[in-house]
Amino acid sequence: MGDATTPLAPPSGRVERVLAFLERQPWITDALFVAIPLSLLTYASQDSFYGQNPFLPGWVELTLSLTMTGVLALRRTLLVPAAMTVAAAALLMVVLLIPPSFQIVAVPITVYTVAKFGSPKVSKAFLGLGLAGAVLVLIPYAANVFWIEPAETGMSPAPTLGFQEVVLVTVVSGFCASTVMIAWMLGEVGARGHRRLAEIEERNRLLIRERAHEAAAAATDERLRIARDMHDVISHSLSVMIAQADGGRYVARTDPHAAERALDTIAGTGRESLIELRRMLGVLRSPEDPVDHRPQPKATDIAELVASVRAAGLPVEYRPPAWLEELPEGQSLAIYRVVQEALTNTLKHAGPDARSTVSISDSGTELLVEIVDRDPQLRARDVGAHAGDMASGAVSGSGPAPDAERPGSGIEGMKERVALYSGTVDAGFEGSGFAVRARFPRQGAGAAPGATRGRVPAEEERQ
C-alpha cells in the first residue's frame, strides 16, 4: 500500500506563492532591483561625472542624489508622491547648480512608471516636467563648463561659446529629451496593455456573473414548474382517492366487491403519487444538501435517545407509555425533537450530579411532554448562561445525536415545531433545575390515545 500522507507541495507552488506575495508588495521588488542598485551606482559615481560644485558641501549633493534614487522604492506604492519627490529633487539640483550624475536615471524611470500606472492627465503632466527637465539640466552643465571649472583653473571667467559647445549642448539636451519621450511611450504601451487586460478580466467576471444569474433563474423556473407539477399530482391523486373513498363507502353495504375495487384504486393511486412526489422532491434537493437516508425518528425512539444520554453520564428516568406507536408520524417526530433538544442542553450545562426525568402523559384533552432536570450544584451565574443558550438555540457541543446541532433548535425552534400541531411550549428554571413542558391538543376531548383509532360504526362491525 502506498503512503497515505499528503505529499509536499512542489517547488513551483512555493515559487508561485512568493511571486504572488511580491505582487501584493511591489515596494520590495522596487527596492531590491531598482532603488538600492541605482543608489549604490549614484554613490560610486559622484566624483566621475562632470565634477562637483565646489561651492556646496558634499553631503548636500549626495543627499539630493540618493533621494532621487531611493524614493524609487515607492514608485508604485506611492506613485504621485514619489514622482513629485523626484521632480522636486531634480529641480533643486538645477537651482543649486549641481551637475547631473547617475541619479538622473531616476527621471525617465519615474516618467515611465507614471505613464504606465498613473492616470492620463498625471502621465502627460509628468511628461511635460520631464521634457522641461531635459532643457533645465543644461543649466548646471553649462555652469560647470563655463563657470565652475574656469574658476578652479584660473581661466577667464567668461569663455567664448563656440560651435563645438553649441553642438554639445544640443546633443545633451536632445538625448535627455529623447530618453524621457521613449520612457513615456514605453509606459503608455504598458498602460494600454494593462488596461486591455483589466477590461478582459472585467468582461470575464461579468460573463461569469451573468451565466450564474442565468443558471439560477433557470433553476428557479424549473423548481416553479416542478412545484406546479406537484400541485397537479397531489390535486389529481387526492381527488381520485376522495371520490373512490366516497363511492366505496356508499357501496360497501350493497356491493363489497365494488368497495374492494375502490380500495385497490385508492391504494394504487396513493403509491403512484408517493413515487412521483419522491422523484420531484429529489430534484428539488440542492446539490449541496447532504443526502440522509436514515428514517425520521419517532416518539418510540426516545428510549434509545435516553439510553445514549445515560451512556454520556446523565442519569435519566423515563417510562415510555404503551400508546406511543399510535401517534401520528408528524406529532411523534415533534415529541422526539422536544425531548432531544431538552436533554442535549441538560447534558451540556448540568453539573456532574444532575438528574433528568422524561415523562409523556395523556390527560384526555392534551398530550403533555415534560423534561425536568435537577442539579444540586446549580448556581445563579449558571442560570443566565443556560437560559440564554436555550433561548438562542445554541446547542453546539457534545450531544446525544448528530441532529442536536441543527440550526433552529432551542426554545424558539421547539415552539415553531410544536406550533405546527397547535401546541405550546413552556420552559424555564424551576427550583434547582430547568423544566421544559410541551402540550399537544388531542383530537376530540376525553379521548384516550387509540380510542378513536380504528373505531368503526356498530353497523359495520356487525357486517
Side-chain angles (χ1 to χ4, degrees):
M1 296 179 64
D3 190 4
T5 59
T6 304
L8 297 176
S12 59
R14 291 193 293 268
V15 172
E16 291 176 357
R17 288 194 294 269
V18 171
L19 293 178
F21 173 76
L22 294 178
E23 186 176 357
R24 293 192 300 268
Q25 305 292 337
W27 65 271
I28 298 178
T29 305
D30 292 336
L32 292 177
F33 298 102
V34 180
I36 294 178
L38 289 181
S39 297
L40 294 176
L41 291 175
T42 299
Y43 179 80
S45 63
Q46 283 300 110
D47 297 333
S48 59
F49 283 83
Y50 312 113
Q52 292 180 330
N53 188 343
F55 305 102
L56 287 176
W59 63 267
V60 174
E61 180 178 354
L62 181 61
T63 300
L64 290 176
S65 300
L66 294 181
T67 299
M68 292 181 64
T69 56
V71 78
L72 293 178
L74 304 176
R75 66 189 184 101
R76 287 185 289 175
T77 307
L78 300 174
L79 179 64
V80 176
M84 291 297 296
T85 302
V86 173
L91 179 61
L92 190 58
M93 294 184 70
V94 171
V95 173
L96 296 178
L97 301 179
I98 298 176
S101 181
F102 204 88
Q103 79 278 1
I104 203 65
V105 180
V107 175
I109 293 178
T110 301
V111 172
Y112 167 81
T113 304
V114 174
K116 183 175 182 179
F117 301 103
S119 63
K121 292 184 178 180
V122 176
S123 173
K124 293 179 181 178
F126 276 93
L127 172 63
L129 290 177
L131 294 178
V135 178
L136 294 178
V137 75
L138 297 178
I139 296 178
Y141 174 76
N144 185 74
V145 173
F146 298 108
W147 176 42
I148 296 176
E149 284 189 355
E152 291 179 348
T153 58
M155 297 174 58
S156 173
T160 58
L161 184 64
F163 176 77
Q164 183 178 358
E165 287 76 10
V166 172
V167 172
L168 183 60
V169 168
T170 303
V171 170
V172 172
S173 178
F175 176 78
C176 293
S178 301
T179 303
V180 170
M181 196 66 190
I182 293 174
W184 181 82
M185 293 174 64
L186 292 176
E188 279 292 310
V189 172
R192 292 179 181 178
H194 183 73
R195 287 193 293 268
R196 188 179 300 109
L197 181 61
E199 291 175 357
I200 294 174
E201 292 178 352
E202 181 65 22
R203 190 180 300 111
N204 290 336
R205 283 194 294 267
L206 292 176
L207 288 175
I208 293 174
R209 189 180 307 169
E210 183 178 357
R211 290 177 181 176
H213 288 322
E214 291 178 354
T220 302
D221 293 340
E222 183 65 15
R223 287 170 182 262
L224 291 176
R225 186 189 65 79
I226 294 174
R228 290 192 296 267
D229 293 343
M230 290 178 62
H231 176 269
D232 295 340
V233 169
I234 294 174
S235 300
H236 173 73
S237 301
L238 289 180
S239 299
V240 172
M241 294 169 70
I242 292 172
Q244 293 291 332
D246 291 339
R249 184 176 59 181
Y250 179 77
V251 301
R253 300 176 184 178
T254 59
D255 190 354
H257 295 289
E260 184 178 355
R261 290 194 299 271
L263 292 176
D264 291 339
T265 302
I266 292 173
T269 304
R271 293 190 187 94
E272 293 177 0
S273 301
L274 184 60
I275 293 174
E276 291 295 327
L277 288 177
R278 285 177 176 173
R279 184 181 295 114
M280 293 179 182
L281 290 176
V283 174
L284 288 177
R285 181 183 293 114
S286 175
E288 290 80 11
D289 294 340
V291 179
D292 192 355
H293 298 286
R294 297 176 300 175
Q296 291 286 4
K298 298 180 295 184
T300 54
D301 297 324
I302 294 178
E304 298 180 4
L305 175 66
V306 169
S308 65
V309 174
R310 288 171 181 166
L314 177 65
V316 182
E317 181 181 349
Y318 173 63
R319 293 181 179 179
W323 42 263
L324 286 181
E325 295 182 356
E326 302 179 8
L327 293 175
E329 290 188 5
Q331 192 179 59
S332 180
L333 174 61
I335 292 174
Y336 178 89
R337 293 302 188 197
V338 169
V339 176
Q340 180 189 48
E341 182 67 33
L343 290 179
T344 298
N345 283 280
T346 302
L347 186 63
K348 177 181 179 182
H349 294 284
D353 298 329
R355 304 178 65 87
S356 292
T357 301
V358 178
S359 64
I360 304 175
S361 59
D362 173 49
S363 64
T365 59
E366 65 179 11
L367 292 178
L368 177 61
V369 182
E370 291 184 295
I371 305 94
V372 181
D373 65 77
R374 303 300 178 194
D375 186 0
Q377 299 181 359
L378 184 68
R379 296 184 295 272
R381 65 180 179 86
D382 299 321
V383 172
H386 194 168
D389 184 80
M390 289 291 292
S392 63
V395 295
S396 59
S398 60
D403 294 325
E405 297 185 4
R406 289 185 177 180
S409 55
I411 297 299
E412 293 301 325
M414 289 182 187
K415 290 181 178 180
E416 293 178 0
R417 185 180 291 275
V418 174
L420 293 175
Y421 302 94
S422 302
T424 59
V425 174
D426 297 323
F429 286 91
E430 196 174 88
S432 61
F434 197 86
V436 177
R437 292 182 176 88
R439 292 176 172 84
F440 296 85
R442 294 293 299 174
Q443 297 292 334
T452 60
R453 181 181 295 271
R455 177 176 294 177
V456 295
E459 295 82 357
E460 296 185 15
E461 288 183 344
R462 286 194 294 270
Q463 289 183 1

